[in-house]
Amino acid sequence: MEYERTRNNKRRELKLLYDSEWTPEMDYALRNYFNGCVVCGSIQNICRDHVLPLSKGYGLKPGNAVILCVKCNCSKHDKNLKDFSAILRPMN
């Protein structure tokens, strides 16, 4: 329990630090640019995510944001999107 609380606090601090430039207008533009998950194509349960991971110091900025479904986002963890997509390709 304590580990989860510490991990969540650290992630929240990183988001405040690195995602501070992200605006609602950028979110709107991103959702209009990507019709669905960039990995599997799903249009249900989609969310915004970092191409290069937040845990490695990359915040949400134009060029570092994509739309993923919740399933792909949870599977991605702290990999960058290019490495994650390469892992998935042989399975499809």
Side-chain angles (χ1 to χ4, degrees):
M1 189 67 132
E2 185 64 29
Y3 169 76
E4 289 177 15
R5 189 174 316 134
T6 302
R7 182 190 66 201
N8 291 341
N9 285 340
K10 182 178 178 183
R11 180 151 178 87
R12 193 174 8 264
E13 289 172 8
L14 286 173
K15 285 180 79 59
L16 286 172
L17 179 65
Y18 293 120
D19 291 351
S20 61
E21 296 177 29
W22 194 255
T23 66
E25 291 81 10
M26 291 175 178
D27 203 49
Y28 179 77
L30 181 70
R31 290 179 186 271
N32 283 329
Y33 186 75
F34 294 109
N35 295 327
C37 177
V38 298
V39 175
C40 71
S42 175
I43 58 171
Q44 296 182 349
N45 298 321
I46 58 173
C47 58
R48 157 186 26 87
D49 191 43
H50 305 83
V51 174
L52 300 171
L54 177 67
S55 63
K56 298 195 173 135
Y58 297 97
L60 281 175
K61 297 178 182 179
N64 194 42
V66 292
I67 296 294
L68 294 176
C69 68
V70 172
K71 183 179 177 184
C72 289
N73 193 4
C74 289
S75 300
K76 181 178 168 268
H77 297 290
D78 67 346
K79 299 175 191 73
N80 78 42
L81 188 63
K82 182 179 176 185
D83 294 341
F84 176 68
S85 296
I87 292 168
L88 288 182
R89 276 195 201 108
M91 293 171 42
N92 291 336

